Amino acid sequence: MSQAAPSGAWTELGDGVWVRQSRAYAMNSVVLIKNGHAVVVDPGVLPSELDDLSQFVTSRVPDFDRVAVIFTHPHWDHVIGKPWFPAATLVGHVGLADEIERDEVDIERKAKAYIEGEGGETWRTPFAPFVPDLQLRGTVGHTLGPFPLLSYDIPGHSASQIAVQFPEQGLFLSADTLSDIEIPWLDAPAWIHRKSLESLQRVFEHEHIEVLVPGHGSVARGRAAVYQRVLNDIAYLRKLEERVSQAFKEGLTVEQTQARLAEMDYLGKDAAYAMNDVHRGNVRFTWQGFAERA
Ligand SMILES: [Zn+2]
């Protein structure tokens, strides 16, 4: 079978690793190919892009039962690609299926709205909830075909979010963390996300990681660049916690705290892909965390 010629959206990272970046939020889908097996991570986002991804994989690995698809977390842009990989082994956190079931209507609504709006394409494959065949929890090692991997729980953006390391390729996939276009995007108080990142910082100190692919944004290459990403995210969260804590002690309401912390400097502030609303949401989650502790 002939191999599909990759479009400009593809970057070859070597060692049989490819990244395809979506037009939607610069989301990265990763493909690993080795010995007639493939692993696909977070296939997305637009239907035409999923067609391209699926053709890329099929032309190299015709047997779909030799394909595994890993879903790093259940947000809509990361989970809608499943129908493009029938018979693949599905992999995700043990909590993924519950979150997908809870958010099913929301996933469908957001996917359709984006794809038919900004995406300019037709939403033709309604979202159906699914349960991973392989469910991961904690820090755990697994093998998918010829690919040994390690997975890490990294809650804070989603309770069932995982990061995945492929030690043989020196590759680390950090899901929706460690981006160069997004600040940490919280769904819980900042310290939950910070603890996840501090555990990754220790991983980066000990493990040989040469290439980091975040869920959104650019690939980081080389240990120093990878390490800098984790330092940047932790620095943002520390500053956020410190400033929200101070405001909370002074008796400021959540709205007053958001108004005060609008002055904070952070990645993506007033950018074309603006993080201003994300930052406001982060202040709210963190303020609420202090209120629950008080
Ligand atoms: Zn996400």
Side-chain angles (χ1 to χ4, degrees):
M1 197 176 277
S2 71
Q3 298 203 335
S7 71
W10 290 91
T11 304
E12 185 170 11
L13 297 176
D15 276 338
V17 182
W18 301 75
V19 180
R20 191 190 192 290
Q21 190 166 76
S22 172
R23 287 201 283 119
Y25 315 110
M27 198 198 84
N28 295 313
S29 301
V30 175
V31 178
L32 295 93
I33 308 272
K34 188 179 178 182
N35 302 344
H37 288 258
V39 174
V40 184
V41 184
D42 288 351
V45 174
L46 301 170
S48 67
E49 298 177 322
L50 285 159
D51 291 345
D52 183 37
L53 263 169
S54 139
Q55 278 159 23
F56 182 93
V57 174
T58 319
S59 65
R60 289 160 177 80
V61 180
D63 305 324
F64 261 144
D65 58 357
R66 291 179 161 218
V67 177
V69 181
I70 301 176
F71 301 94
T72 60
H73 67 294
H75 291 166
W76 78 266
D77 45 337
H78 296 258
V79 292
I80 57 174
K82 184 208 164 242
W84 276 262
F85 299 93
T89 302
L90 309 178
V91 183
H93 188 265
V94 66
L96 186 90
D98 280 354
E99 280 195 60
I100 285 179
E101 200 186 321
R102 181 195 68 197
D103 299 338
E104 177 187 352
V105 173
D106 214 34
I107 292 169
E108 169 75 19
R109 184 182 56 76
K110 286 180 176 167
K112 189 175 190 313
Y114 184 88
I115 287 165
E116 302 211 321
E118 223 172 305
E121 296 192 12
T122 305
W123 174 238
R124 55 177 200 248
T125 316
F127 179 73
F130 59 89
V131 178
D133 305 300
L134 174 60
Q135 305 200 10
L136 308 170
R137 55 171 76 69
T139 300
V140 66
H142 265 287
T143 303
L144 295 171
F147 299 103
L149 63 87
L150 288 155
S151 102
Y152 303 90
D153 287 1
I154 50 165
H157 169 73
S158 143
S160 65
Q161 183 171 251
I162 55 168
V164 182
Q165 180 187 354
F166 291 92
E168 287 183 357
Q169 288 77 13
L171 176 69
F172 197 90
L173 312 180
S174 62
D176 281 4
T177 71
L178 312 186
S179 170
D180 64 339
I181 58 169
E182 291 182 350
I183 46 174
W185 190 319
L186 306 181
D187 81 334
W191 46 86
I192 294 176
H193 203 294
R194 177 170 52 80
K195 282 175 187 156
S196 293
L197 295 179
E198 285 166 352
S199 69
L200 295 189
Q201 185 178 8
R202 286 190 291 278
V203 171
F204 294 168
E205 280 163 6
H206 299 297
E207 300 274 341
H208 189 76
I209 290 156
E210 280 299 324
V211 182
L212 168 80
V213 184
H216 303 265
S218 323
V219 173
R221 295 167 197 255
R223 293 187 76 174
V226 170
Y227 200 71
Q228 191 58 50
R229 291 273 178 103
V230 78
L231 294 182
N232 294 347
D233 273 9
I234 290 173
Y236 167 78
L237 292 172
R238 283 193 189 288
K239 196 164 153 193
L240 178 72
E241 281 177 62
E242 191 185 297
R243 300 221 31 200
V244 174
S245 164
Q246 183 58 39
F248 189 81
K249 281 185 204 144
E250 290 174 28
L252 268 61
T253 64
V254 65
E255 291 80 14
Q256 289 167 333
T257 307
Q258 284 173 320
R260 181 190 281 184
L261 267 69
E263 298 155 25
M264 226 175 106
D265 197 27
Y266 51 86
L267 178 72
K269 185 176 187 174
D270 302 327
Y273 179 41
M275 287 292 111
N276 300 40
D277 288 346
V278 176
H279 177 66
R280 277 179 65 80
N282 290 348
V283 172
R284 180 168 50 83
F285 279 118
T286 305
W287 190 95
Q288 285 165 347
F290 283 112
E292 278 161 25
R293 282 178 166 192

